[in-house]
């Protein structure tokens, strides 16, 4: 995984998946799209790779929230990951300053996920 900043989408995984999200939600209903995305990701990523798995769920939650289609299940999974500190090992290795920046980004993201979504947007 390559990360160039501490933002939710500031990594290779998120950038690679955004076009997959767009296609899946354009052609399918939300639940069907989620099943297709999950199958695609499970084929390419190992769930035991915490950093990659967090990047997947965080970017998915971000995409869905922005488009007004965030489900409770995706939101709750992302919140659970944030609350547990899952996937922060790589950030810890990068040093205290970048780790604190990532934690701040995740705290702000957590607040966003708990806030009202914008109206549903056409994808």
């Amino acid at each position: 995984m390559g990360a160039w900043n501490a933002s939710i989408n500031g990594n290779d995984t998120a950038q690679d998946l955004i076009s997959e999200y767009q296609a899946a939600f354009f052609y399918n209903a939300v639940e069907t799209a989620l099943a297709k995305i999950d199958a695609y990701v499970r084929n390419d990523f190992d769930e035991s790779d915490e950093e990659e798995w967090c990047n997947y769920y965080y970017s998915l939650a971000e995409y869905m929230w922005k488009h007004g289609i965030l489900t409770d299940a995706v939101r709750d999974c992302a919140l659970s990951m944030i609350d547990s500190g899952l996937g922060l090992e790589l950030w810890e290795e990068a040093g205290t300053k970048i780790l604190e920046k990532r934690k701040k980004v995740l705290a702000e993201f957590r607040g966003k996920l708990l806030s009202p979504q914008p109206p549903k947007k056409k994808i």
Side-chain angles (χ1 to χ4, degrees):
M1 191 259 331
W4 49 89
N5 64 49
S7 72
I8 297 302
N9 293 320
N11 59 78
D12 293 337
T13 303
Q15 291 302 307
D16 290 346
L17 290 173
I18 289 172
S19 62
E20 299 298 328
Y21 303 155
Q22 189 168 8
F25 290 113
F26 179 79
Y27 289 109
N28 302 282
V30 172
E31 292 304 323
T32 302
L34 285 173
K36 289 180 182 237
I37 291 165
D38 192 62
Y40 172 81
V41 169
R42 287 180 187 277
N43 189 48
D44 283 359
F45 299 110
D46 181 359
E47 191 173 349
S48 67
D49 184 340
E50 293 178 0
E51 186 64 30
E52 291 287 340
W53 205 250
C54 288
N55 288 334
Y56 156 50
Y57 256 93
Y58 295 161
S59 64
L60 177 63
E62 170 82 358
Y63 183 89
M64 292 179 76
W65 187 91
K66 281 184 177 180
H67 289 87
I69 57 172
L70 181 61
T71 63
D72 291 347
V74 172
R75 182 200 63 218
D76 293 348
C77 185
L79 291 172
S80 176
M81 290 175 163
I82 292 168
D83 292 346
S84 71
L86 191 69
L88 288 176
E89 293 79 19
L90 182 67
W91 299 95
E92 288 172 354
E93 293 172 11
T96 304
K97 187 175 180 179
I98 191 69
L99 174 62
E100 292 307 313
K101 188 170 186 176
R102 178 65 172 183
K103 285 181 177 180
K104 181 180 178 191
V105 165
L106 291 175
E108 291 170 358
F109 184 55
R110 186 181 195 291
K112 181 178 189 176
L113 293 177
L114 292 171
S115 70
Q117 295 181 64
K120 185 175 179 180
K121 295 178 181 144
K122 185 175 180 178
I123 298 174

